[in-house]
Amino acid sequence: MKLTEINIILIGIVSLLGVGFYGLLITRNLIKVVMVLQILVKAVVLAFVFSGKVSGNLGLGQSIAATVIVADTIVAVVGLALAVQVRRRFGTLDAPEISTLRG
Amino acid sequence: MERVEYGLLLAGAIICAYRAIVSKRILSSTIYLACISALISVVLFMLGATQVAVMELSVGAGLVTVLLVYALSVVGEDALDPSSVISKPLAIAVVAVVTLLLGWMIYPATQFENLMGSVDLASVLWQQRVLDVWIQIVLIFSGVMGVLGLLSERTPGKAEGGHS
């Protein structure tokens, strides 16, 4: 397989997704989970723009990527708000510890 | 020449992503996340998606970083990431399988010869994807509610006491 621009970008997208998946598996802190989701969405935004570019419809790729960026930002805001409220209520940000709490 | 630039930018983004994940201090992870956003926005700009690149830079490296730092300042110094529940070799094995599967699925995309395409975001966004714009407006409204939740100082106990 020749290392063309397309192949390099595809390898970059898949690698970034892989690192994001790994982070999602090993992360326990709620704020860090939000950050890992950001990493995953950045790879997806790149994939949307790239697919729009290679299919000859960059405008459509950009449009969907813009929507994804907005949705991702809202997810980050709401997730951080939830994390802060969980920290105030339970005194911890550790996800397994929160799931075992009662009362 | 662009191959080298794409390679360096994406390698930098991947290294920053890994450092953001393995870093014990979440403030450091936030800085690495901003670096990823900056590098990705340069790649987007090189691909011709200038509007999305500006959006990614301002939102990803600016707004989200500020929100994360603010959330860290609210939760205090104990925002350290504890060790993972599942073992790291198992996580690496699962990720390797998923990544290989993903690579196999997108392999046909490598058959494209050249990068091509035209920039016509305005007509696509305002004529073909109007529903997306409305969804974005609704999402931004939800985000404002989320920021209010983030800034809220009221505890559940006080709220119940206020009603009685």
Side-chain angles (χ1 to χ4, degrees), chain B residues 97-130:
Chain B
V97 170
V98 170
T99 307
L100 284 176
L101 196 61
L102 196 60
W104 176 67
M105 287 172 71
I106 66 167
Y107 180 73
T110 60
Q111 305 306 316
F112 286 101
E113 290 294 329
N114 295 312
L115 295 178
M116 56 182 183
S118 58
V119 181
D120 194 16
L121 177 63
S123 63
V124 171
L125 195 61
W126 294 107
Q127 291 172 14
Q128 299 175 23
R129 312 288 301 181
V130 180

Coordinates of all heavy atoms in Angstrom, one line a residue, chain B residues 97-130:
Chain B
V97 N -8.3 -4.9 18.3 CA -9.3 -5.6 17.5 C -10.2 -4.6 16.8 O -10.5 -4.7 15.6 CB -10.0 -6.6 18.4 CG1 -11.2 -7.2 17.6 CG2 -9.1 -7.7 18.8
V98 N -10.7 -3.6 17.6 CA -11.6 -2.7 17.1 C -11.0 -1.8 16.0 O -11.6 -1.6 14.9 CB -12.2 -1.8 18.2 CG1 -13.0 -0.6 17.6 CG2 -13.0 -2.6 19.2
T99 N -9.8 -1.4 16.2 CA -9.1 -0.6 15.2 C -8.8 -1.4 13.9 O -9.0 -0.8 12.8 CB -7.7 -0.1 15.8 OG1 -8.0 0.6 17.1 CG2 -7.1 0.9 14.9
L100 N -8.4 -2.6 14.1 CA -8.2 -3.4 12.9 C -9.4 -3.6 12.1 O -9.5 -3.5 10.8 CB -7.6 -4.8 13.3 CG -6.1 -4.7 13.6 CD1 -5.6 -6.1 14.1 CD2 -5.2 -4.3 12.5
L101 N -10.5 -3.8 12.8 CA -11.8 -4.0 12.1 C -12.2 -2.7 11.4 O -12.7 -2.7 10.3 CB -12.9 -4.4 13.2 CG -14.2 -4.9 12.7 CD1 -14.0 -6.2 12.0 CD2 -15.1 -5.2 13.9
L102 N -12.0 -1.6 12.1 CA -12.3 -0.3 11.5 C -11.5 -0.1 10.2 O -12.0 0.4 9.2 CB -12.1 0.8 12.5 CG -12.7 2.2 12.3 CD1 -14.2 2.1 12.2 CD2 -12.3 3.1 13.4
G103 N -10.2 -0.4 10.3 CA -9.3 -0.2 9.2 C -9.7 -1.1 8.0 O -9.6 -0.7 6.9
W104 N -10.1 -2.3 8.3 CA -10.6 -3.2 7.3 C -11.8 -2.7 6.6 O -12.0 -2.8 5.4 CB -10.8 -4.6 7.9 CG -11.4 -5.6 6.9 CD1 -10.7 -6.1 5.8 CD2 -12.7 -6.1 6.9 NE1 -11.6 -7.0 5.2 CE2 -12.8 -7.0 5.8 CE3 -13.8 -6.0 7.7 CZ2 -13.9 -7.7 5.5 CZ3 -14.9 -6.7 7.4 CH2 -15.0 -7.6 6.3
M105 N -12.7 -2.1 7.4 CA -14.0 -1.5 6.8 C -13.7 -0.3 5.9 O -14.4 -0.1 4.9 CB -14.9 -1.2 8.0 CG -15.5 -2.4 8.7 SD -16.5 -1.9 10.1 CE -17.9 -1.2 9.3
I106 N -12.7 0.5 6.3 CA -12.5 1.7 5.5 C -11.4 1.5 4.4 O -11.1 2.5 3.8 CB -12.2 2.9 6.4 CG1 -10.8 2.7 7.0 CG2 -13.3 3.2 7.4 CD1 -10.3 4.0 7.7
Y107 N -11.0 0.3 4.3 CA -9.9 0.1 3.3 C -10.3 0.4 1.9 O -9.5 1.0 1.2 CB -9.5 -1.4 3.4 CG -8.4 -1.7 2.4 CD1 -7.1 -1.3 2.6 CD2 -8.6 -2.4 1.2 CE1 -6.1 -1.5 1.7 CE2 -7.6 -2.7 0.3 CZ -6.3 -2.3 0.6 OH -5.3 -2.5 -0.3
P108 N -11.5 0.2 1.5 CA -11.9 0.6 0.1 C -11.7 2.1 -0.2 O -11.5 2.5 -1.3 CB -13.4 0.3 0.0 CG -13.6 -0.8 1.0 CD -12.6 -0.5 2.1
A109 N -11.7 2.9 0.9 CA -11.5 4.4 0.7 C -10.1 4.7 0.2 O -9.8 5.8 -0.4 CB -11.8 5.1 2.0
T110 N -9.2 3.8 0.4 CA -7.8 4.0 0.0 C -7.7 3.9 -1.6 O -6.6 4.3 -2.1 CB -6.8 3.0 0.6 OG1 -7.2 1.7 0.2 CG2 -6.8 3.1 2.1
Q111 N -8.7 3.4 -2.2 CA -8.7 3.3 -3.7 C -8.9 4.6 -4.4 O -8.7 4.7 -5.6 CB -9.7 2.3 -4.2 CG -9.7 1.0 -3.5 CD -8.3 0.3 -3.5 OE1 -7.7 0.3 -4.6 NE2 -7.8 -0.2 -2.4
F112 N -9.3 5.7 -3.7 CA -9.5 7.0 -4.3 C -8.1 7.5 -4.7 O -7.1 7.3 -4.0 CB -10.1 8.0 -3.3 CG -11.6 7.8 -3.1 CD1 -12.0 7.1 -2.0 CD2 -12.5 8.2 -4.1 CE1 -13.4 7.0 -1.8 CE2 -13.8 8.0 -3.9 CZ -14.3 7.4 -2.7
E113 N -8.1 8.1 -5.9 CA -6.8 8.5 -6.4 C -6.4 9.9 -5.9 O -5.3 10.1 -5.4 CB -6.9 8.6 -8.0 CG -7.0 7.3 -8.6 CD -5.7 6.4 -8.5 OE1 -4.7 7.0 -8.4 OE2 -5.9 5.2 -8.4
N114 N -7.2 10.9 -6.0 CA -6.8 12.2 -5.6 C -7.9 12.8 -4.7 O -9.0 12.4 -4.6 CB -6.8 13.1 -6.9 CG -5.7 12.7 -7.8 OD1 -4.6 12.4 -7.4 ND2 -6.1 12.5 -9.1
L115 N -7.4 13.8 -3.9 CA -8.3 14.6 -3.1 C -9.0 15.6 -4.1 O -8.3 16.3 -4.8 CB -7.6 15.4 -2.0 CG -6.9 14.5 -0.9 CD1 -6.2 15.4 0.0 CD2 -8.0 13.7 -0.2
M116 N -10.3 15.7 -4.0 CA -11.0 16.7 -4.9 C -12.1 17.3 -4.1 O -12.3 17.0 -2.9 CB -11.5 15.9 -6.1 CG -12.4 14.8 -5.8 SD -12.9 13.9 -7.3 CE -14.0 12.7 -6.6
G117 N -13.0 18.0 -4.8 CA -14.1 18.6 -4.1 C -14.1 20.1 -4.2 O -13.1 20.7 -4.3
S118 N -15.3 20.6 -4.0 CA -15.5 22.1 -4.1 C -16.0 22.6 -2.7 O -16.7 21.9 -2.0 CB -16.4 22.5 -5.2 OG -17.7 21.9 -5.0
V119 N -15.7 23.9 -2.5 CA -16.2 24.5 -1.2 C -17.5 25.2 -1.5 O -17.5 26.2 -2.2 CB -15.1 25.4 -0.6 CG1 -15.6 26.0 0.7 CG2 -13.8 24.7 -0.5
D120 N -18.6 24.8 -1.0 CA -19.8 25.5 -1.1 C -20.7 25.2 0.1 O -21.8 24.7 0.0 CB -20.6 25.0 -2.4 CG -21.7 25.9 -2.8 OD1 -21.7 27.0 -2.3 OD2 -22.5 25.5 -3.6
L121 N -20.2 25.7 1.2 CA -20.8 25.4 2.5 C -22.1 26.1 2.6 O -23.1 25.6 3.1 CB -19.9 25.7 3.7 CG -20.5 25.5 5.1 CD1 -20.8 24.1 5.3 CD2 -19.5 26.0 6.1
A122 N -22.2 27.4 2.2 CA -23.3 28.2 2.5 C -24.6 27.6 1.8 O -25.6 27.5 2.4 CB -23.1 29.6 2.0
S123 N -24.5 27.2 0.5 CA -25.7 26.7 -0.1 C -26.1 25.4 0.5 O -27.3 25.1 0.6 CB -25.4 26.6 -1.6 OG -24.4 25.6 -1.8
V124 N -25.1 24.5 0.8 CA -25.5 23.3 1.4 C -26.2 23.5 2.7 O -27.2 22.9 3.0 CB -24.2 22.4 1.6 CG1 -24.6 21.1 2.4 CG2 -23.7 22.0 0.2
L125 N -25.6 24.4 3.6 CA -26.1 24.5 4.9 C -27.5 25.2 4.9 O -28.4 24.8 5.7 CB -25.1 25.4 5.7 CG -25.3 25.4 7.2 CD1 -25.1 24.0 7.8 CD2 -24.3 26.3 7.9
W126 N -27.7 26.2 4.1 CA -28.9 27.0 4.1 C -30.0 26.5 3.2 O -31.1 27.0 3.2 CB -28.6 28.5 3.8 CG -27.8 29.1 4.9 CD1 -26.5 29.4 4.8 CD2 -28.2 29.4 6.2 NE1 -26.0 29.9 6.0 CE2 -27.0 29.9 6.9 CE3 -29.4 29.3 7.0 CZ2 -27.1 30.3 8.2 CZ3 -29.4 29.7 8.3 CH2 -28.3 30.2 8.9
Q127 N -29.6 25.6 2.3 CA -30.7 25.1 1.3 C -31.0 23.6 1.5 O -32.1 23.2 1.6 CB -30.2 25.3 -0.1 CG -30.2 26.8 -0.5 CD -29.6 27.0 -1.9 OE1 -29.4 26.1 -2.6 NE2 -29.3 28.3 -2.1
Q128 N -29.9 22.8 1.6 CA -30.1 21.3 1.8 C -30.2 20.9 3.2 O -30.9 19.9 3.5 CB -29.0 20.6 1.1 CG -28.8 20.8 -0.4 CD -27.6 20.1 -0.9 OE1 -27.1 19.2 -0.4 NE2 -27.1 20.7 -2.0
R129 N -29.5 21.6 4.1 CA -29.4 21.1 5.5 C -30.0 22.1 6.5 O -29.4 22.4 7.5 CB -28.0 20.8 5.9 CG -27.2 20.0 4.9 CD -27.6 18.5 4.9 NE -27.4 17.9 6.1 CZ -27.7 16.6 6.3 NH1 -28.1 15.9 5.3 NH2 -27.5 16.1 7.5
V130 N -31.2 22.6 6.1 CA -31.8 23.6 7.0 C -32.2 23.0 8.4 O -32.1 23.7 9.4 CB -33.1 24.2 6.3 CG1 -33.7 25.3 7.2 CG2 -32.7 24.9 5.0

